Amino acid sequence: KVVCVTGASGFIASWLVKLLLQHDYTVKATVRDPNDPKKTQHLLSLDGAKERLHLFKADLLEEGSFDSVVDGCDGVFHTASPVAMDVVNPQAELIDPALKGTINVLRSCAKFPSVKRVVVTSSMAAVVFTGKPLTSEVLIDESWFSDPVLCKESKLWYVLSKTLAEEAAWKFSKENGIDMVTINPAWVIGPLIQPTLNLSAEVVLNLINDTLQQLMKMCFMLCFLFLYLNIRAQTFPNRSYRLVDVRDVANAHIQAYEIPEASGRYCLVEKDLHYSETVKILRKLYPELPLPEKCADDKPYAPSSRVSQEKVKSLGIHFTPLEVSLKDTVESLKEKNFVSF
Ligand code: NDP
């Protein structure tokens, strides 16, 4: 059982590698810089890593970069893709690595018949931006596909990068007979394995400590948390976020690989949580925290949307309750000294 994980040092991929090693897989993991201990040490310390984890250098934008890694693998998990909201050059920073990178990886998969299935980490970003209203009456499911024109008009560059990448992946896999499944997670939270912050854990972090702004300069993951709840203004935005736990996301990747009948796309959303509800949960967990009291406007709370969990049930995923995910995220941020209270 030999599998490849691209972008192995990332937030989701680190969990995926950990679970794959626990499941006795031999993992060929790609990172951009195998000599950077911040990107590799946490992987090399995982149980089973000494015996069954092999690191490879690969870059999404280098053609053929993944050939030697994918060669001999039974399965490939393609998670690598830049996650950023604030970019100067969206084409170079987001769209090229996401789109060309995905095709680059799939091209390697097409070359080696040992590869039986490819699991691609897409996103709910590639699902929800269709122009259809996102209200509590609507049930979003896997049949939705974001409209690239709409993403471009709205300058949603990260969303565009994920939509174009998934669209191209389906086209390429069909044309080349690749058995591909996509996992489409919502905003992912949960404990960190890697030593650096990733964008989505900011959601929780900025609620807690405004000194995080300094850290924000060091790692863009913090930016999101800063946006998520503007602690300085003591208000929270009038909107909600679709959230899911990183451990469920990693597990869904493995199930999508192992279950022969798995096919197509899988939306992964535990809940669409309004900021007010996030604050309520965190206040209950950490009464000592100075969390925002008021909504940023006086309008009725924006409705949360609903995402079908029907299809993902077939992967046997039992979602971690968000109360647990939020607590484990905060505890992990504390443990890694990103926050102290
Ligand atoms: P991270 O930022 O933690 O990980 C992203 C990974 O992509 C890193 O390992 C990074 O490598 C790698 N990468 C970026 N650019 C390149 C490149 N040019 N060549 C090779 N590798 C590259 O993000 P997440 O773990 O959060 O995201 C992983 C995947 O999950 C992405 O595809 C993302 O779109 C998707 N996703 C994430 C969600 C979330 O909320 N976090 C939600 C939905 C989908 P390096 O370490 O060298 O920078």
Side-chain angles (χ1 to χ4, degrees):
K1 294 202 293 185
V2 184
V3 292
C4 163
V5 177
T6 70
S9 57
F11 175 47
I12 296 172
S14 296
W15 271 101
L16 178 57
V17 172
K18 181 183 165 95
L19 297 192
L20 284 166
L21 290 171
Q22 278 176 5
H23 283 67
D24 284 335
Y25 283 93
T26 292
V27 182
K28 294 166 94 176
T30 79
V31 291
R32 274 191 283 188
D33 182 1
N35 296 318
D36 180 353
K38 280 203 197 101
K39 299 283 179 181
T40 56
Q41 201 45 54
H42 64 286
L43 296 174
L44 295 168
S45 322
L46 293 170
D47 283 349
K50 218 164 141 208
E51 301 80 23
R52 286 177 284 109
L53 176 69
H54 308 282
L55 296 181
F56 290 78
K57 181 181 167 68
D59 193 296
L60 290 171
L61 292 170
E62 251 173 60
E63 256 181 62
S65 195
F66 293 86
D67 281 1
S68 60
V69 198
V70 169
D71 187 7
C73 285
D74 305 297
V76 173
F77 296 90
H78 174 45
T79 82
S81 204
V83 185
M85 301 299 153
D86 264 344
V87 290
V88 180
N89 183 341
Q91 187 69 38
E93 291 172 62
L94 286 172
I95 297 164
D96 284 350
L99 177 56
K100 290 185 185 166
T102 298
I103 297 306
N104 198 12
V105 171
L106 289 177
R107 202 166 273 136
S108 299
C109 298
K111 278 184 200 164
F112 301 104
S114 63
V115 177
K116 299 291 179 289
R117 179 169 286 173
V118 183
V119 180
V120 173
T121 317
S122 186
S123 170
M124 283 303 289
V127 174
V128 297
F129 294 93
T130 61
K132 288 188 242 179
L134 294 170
T135 64
S136 48
E137 286 84 53
V138 176
L139 188 65
I140 300 164
D141 67 19
E142 285 79 2
S143 68
W144 291 41
F145 211 111
S146 295
D147 175 3
V149 177
L150 194 71
C151 302
K152 205 169 179 179
E153 279 169 6
S154 315
K155 296 189 166 48
L156 295 168
W157 304 122
Y158 170 73
V159 177
L160 179 64
S161 76
K162 295 303 286 180
T163 304
L164 292 176
E166 195 190 321
E167 196 176 57
W170 283 118
K171 186 167 183 288
F172 187 93
S173 64
K174 276 173 194 149
E175 285 170 0
N176 291 275
I178 295 175
D179 178 357
M180 186 184 89
V181 178
T182 68
I183 298 296
N184 296 65
W187 199 263
V188 185
I189 59 169
L192 283 65
I193 296 179
Q194 84 281 10
T196 50
L197 274 168
N198 60 291
L199 185 63
S200 55
E202 287 176 35
V203 176
V204 186
L205 191 53
N206 203 39
L207 281 167
I208 300 166
N209 192 343
D210 68 358
T211 59
L212 295 175
Q213 282 180 74
Q214 287 167 17
L215 285 170
M216 229 159 70
K217 289 175 194 143
M218 284 155 34
C219 178
F220 69 90
M221 171 181 173
L222 290 163
C223 308
F224 183 77
L225 192 55
F226 181 67
L227 293 174
Y228 189 72
L229 279 183
N230 188 346
I231 196 160
R232 295 203 135 201
Q234 284 297 302
T235 62
F236 51 79
N238 190 358
R239 63 157 299 179
S240 58
Y241 266 90
R242 291 174 208 97
L243 299 169
V244 65
D245 192 283
V246 67
R247 293 160 289 195
D248 299 339
V249 177
N251 185 23
H253 280 73
I254 298 178
Q255 299 310 317
Y257 173 66
E258 288 185 345
I259 297 174
E261 299 77 30
S263 69
R265 322 165 82 200
Y266 290 89
C267 291
L268 232 66
V269 184
E270 208 285 287
K271 213 181 257 173
D272 192 0
L273 211 62
H274 192 273
Y275 279 96
S276 57
E277 295 176 73
T278 312
V279 170
K280 216 187 273 173
I281 295 171
L282 285 171
R283 185 168 289 130
K284 208 166 152 200
L285 289 170
Y286 302 101
E288 69 274 33
L289 283 177
L291 295 164
E293 303 274 349
K294 288 188 306 192
C295 188
D297 62 40
D298 295 329
K299 296 182 188 145
Y301 282 168
S304 302
S305 59
R306 290 182 304 134
V307 179
S308 170
Q309 295 182 341
E310 225 21 66
K311 192 175 176 206
V312 80
K313 269 190 207 154
S314 63
L315 296 182
I317 304 299
H318 301 288
F319 285 101
T320 307
L322 284 180
E323 289 76 2
V324 175
S325 307
L326 282 165
K327 184 169 198 296
D328 290 352
T329 311
V330 175
E331 292 303 316
S332 164
L333 293 168
K334 278 166 80 173
E335 191 191 305
K336 292 185 184 288
N337 293 321
F338 287 118
V339 282
S340 55
F341 63 91

